[in-house]
Amino acid sequence: MTGLPALEAALQRDLALLQYPKRAWVPERTTPDGQPILDVLIVGGGQGGLATAAALRREKVLNILVVDRNPPDRAGPWLNFARMNTLRTPKHLTGPDMGIPNLTIQAWWEAQHGEGSWAQMGLVPKESWAAYLAWYRRMLDLPVRAETELTALRWDDEADAFAATVRHGGEDEVLHARRVVLATGIEGSGDWHVPSFIADALPARRYAHTRWDIDFDALAGKRVAVLGAGASAFDNAAVALERGAAAVDLFFRRDKLVNVNAYRWAEFVGFLRHVGDLDDATRWKFIRKILRMGQLPPTDTFERARKHDAFTLHPSSPWTAVRDTPQGVVITTPKGEHTCDFVIAGTGFITDLSLRPELAELREHIVLWSERYTPPAGEEHPDLARHPYLGPNFEFLPRTGDTPWVSHVYNYTFGCLLSRGFGGASISGMKYSIPRLVGGITRSLFAEDSDAHYQSLCDYAVEEFQ
Ligand SMILES: Cc1cc2nc3c(=O)[nH]c(=O)nc-3n(C[C@H](O)[C@H](O)[C@H](O)COP(=O)(O)OP(=O)(O)OC[C@H]3O[C@@H](n4cnc5c(N)ncnc54)[C@H](O)[C@@H]3O)c2cc1C
């Protein structure tokens, strides 16, 4: 065998060689009316959800389910709204592979494109990352229910488990689970955000957020203004230019583009593995600094837009107001006014658990950083203050003692950044964050079932010899 079949055979052998300990160990549970209770429900079938499921199965926590609202193998941004050509992170970042070489994206790529092909590649094409994740799901036979959305989550005292309402094909169903992992994406602890001065002033036909569906062909020959200088702002500017926009003007607050990537600095063991172990003040200091250093487009993304004559950068040009006129959208900046036909908001997302419908019944019980830490004057950061104050294994912490079950929900979204560093919603942190997340879940289940395990020890009577 050669190519992918050979790799797949080698991978199956790796998995067989690494099976110890083999025994499934989590006692089965049902509700008082006999409904099955999952050990773990994972919400989100992207890289985070899949890697969590894979690692749990490796720890023989087998009664699990992943739900995702998208069609099969179309979770996350990659095939939906990501408008870059390649990943932004360097290709050598490993993460979902659990340390198994034959499960890495490099092995998968080389098995298909031949030896040396990886060395020749710059960054990983985004479609290839999505295809790798689909292969990963298939190879590990992960239980993913697609086109299934978690709409509500509440604690069911009688079942001693969560009741999770999921919608599939217009039908609602209630699943029960002992533990829940929210791997709901980069915006999973809040939502994508259009500043109100834009949303309140312009009709819907005049603007869009980079996360939204945009009819770029309809922008051919038009004047487009982009607010923001992060990677998505540049990606969308480039697509508008490639589709024939007459002019694309990109506006940003700083006096020059960020050109140093704090995320590349952060990719070393100490930070990735242990920033979450530091005290509150030090964590706040590090993460606030990283966010204030700012986001930037990868070089090729920057060049992709800059090569167009119709592209103009506007530094030191925060928008102070916009208004809709018959001539177009008039944008006011400290440098004057600019008129365009369409606005693209590259304004990212905000953290705010109250924006998550699925958490409507839980959020009042969840501790936030604003309740645990007050930064020194001048070091405030409103969005970080809204981050959930997570425990050592990404679990939410209860605001009061009478809702201990809050800690049975694990936040593996970007909302974990301040508490745990690079965890959910980034490839960079997966190598260390997945084992920490899964280790917390197995510890919590074992501790909760320790009486049952002790009883099984007392009942253990397998004779070694006759
Ligand atoms: C445009 C873009 C480009 C990025 N590029 C990179 C990069 O190059 N390198 C990198 O390291 N990181 C990158 N990131 C950051 C991060 O790695 C990605 O966001 C990645 O998709 C995170 O994986 P995830 O599994 O945590 O979330 P996702 O891949 O977003 O998967 C979460 C899934 O959960 C689903 N979901 C959410 N809520 C529910 C619900 N209630 N019920 C059911 N399903 C739900 C979502 O629809 C989604 O399919 C990028 C992010 C974006 C937005």
Side-chain angles (χ1 to χ4, degrees), residues 145-165:
R145 200 191 281 185
E147 292 163 326
T148 302
E149 177 156 22
L150 174 74
T151 56
L153 187 64
R154 66 176 177 80
W155 180 251
D156 179 342
D157 266 329
E158 266 190 44
D160 193 26
F162 290 98
T165 305

Side-chain angles (χ1 to χ4, degrees), residues 44 46-48 68-70 75-78 88-89 150 183-185 356 425 427:
Q47 64 200 36
D68 191 277
R69 62 164 64 107
N70 291 289
W78 320 113
R88 298 162 180 168
T89 34
L150 174 74
T184 45
R356 303 301 303 186
I427 304 170

Side-chain angles (χ1 to χ4, degrees), residues 148-424:
T148 302
E149 177 156 22
L150 174 74
T151 56
L153 187 64
R154 66 176 177 80
W155 180 251
D156 179 342
D157 266 329
E158 266 190 44
D160 193 26
F162 290 98
T165 305
V166 296
R167 183 160 298 160
H168 178 76
E171 302 284 320
D172 282 350
E173 176 191 356
V174 175
L175 302 173
H176 284 86
R178 297 178 64 186
R179 304 292 182 270
V180 175
V181 175
L182 302 171
T184 45
I186 198 164
E187 81 287 9
S189 292
D191 204 356
W192 300 101
H193 179 67
V194 176
S196 55
F197 76 87
I198 296 175
D200 298 346
L202 300 182
R205 63 183 171 75
R206 285 288 199 192
Y207 75 96
H209 186 279
T210 54
R211 164 66 185 85
W212 300 358
D213 294 337
I214 300 177
D215 181 355
F216 284 96
D217 293 330
L219 298 179
K222 296 277 195 296
R223 301 162 297 173
V224 176
V226 179
L227 178 59
S232 288
F234 275 87
D235 290 335
N236 284 265
V239 176
L241 290 156
E242 288 158 7
R243 301 284 186 83
V248 175
D249 292 83
L250 187 144
F251 297 77
F252 55 102
R253 192 187 305 276
R254 295 170 193 248
D255 55 12
K256 63 184 178 62
L257 281 177
V258 173
N259 196 8
V260 171
N261 193 335
Y263 286 64
R264 291 296 82 74
W265 167 86
E267 286 160 353
F268 63 99
V269 175
F271 182 92
L272 292 175
R273 191 171 205 158
H274 296 300
V275 68
D277 300 328
L278 301 173
D279 62 62
D280 293 357
T282 312
R283 285 186 284 178
W284 183 275
K285 197 172 65 179
F286 267 107
I287 301 302
R288 181 173 174 274
K289 175 71 180 173
I290 287 174
L291 294 181
R292 289 175 61 81
M293 286 172 72
Q295 276 288 301
L296 67 167
T299 310
D300 62 337
T301 301
F302 178 50
E303 293 304 337
R304 185 182 167 201
R306 189 167 68 163
K307 70 181 181 205
H308 295 266
D309 296 340
F311 181 65
T312 310
L313 284 172
H314 298 262
S316 313
S317 300
W319 294 5
T320 51
V322 296
R323 65 183 191 278
D324 189 30
T325 73
Q327 291 69 44
V329 176
V330 177
I331 297 161
T332 307
T333 77
K335 292 185 174 177
E337 294 196 335
H338 176 91
T339 305
C340 69
D341 302 301
F342 193 77
V343 160
I344 298 180
T347 45
F349 57 93
I350 58 170
T351 306
D352 184 346
L353 296 178
S354 70
L355 298 174
R356 303 301 303 186
E358 68 271 21
L359 296 180
E361 294 197 41
L362 263 69
R363 66 170 175 263
E364 64 181 295
H365 304 297
I366 297 169
V367 175
L368 306 179
W369 268 79
S370 57
E371 299 161 64
R372 286 294 177 90
Y373 178 70
T374 305
E379 292 192 17
E380 295 81 1
H381 193 293
D383 196 76
L384 285 179
R386 290 190 298 266
H387 275 223
Y389 189 91
L390 304 178
N393 301 96
F394 297 90
E395 68 275 29
F396 286 135
L397 295 180
R399 201 168 259 151
T400 59
D402 51 12
T403 56
W405 42 265
V406 163
S407 292
H408 296 338
V409 182
Y410 299 79
N411 183 309
Y412 197 61
T413 74
F414 209 69
C416 75
L417 180 68
L418 180 53
S419 303
R420 304 258 50 94
F422 292 177

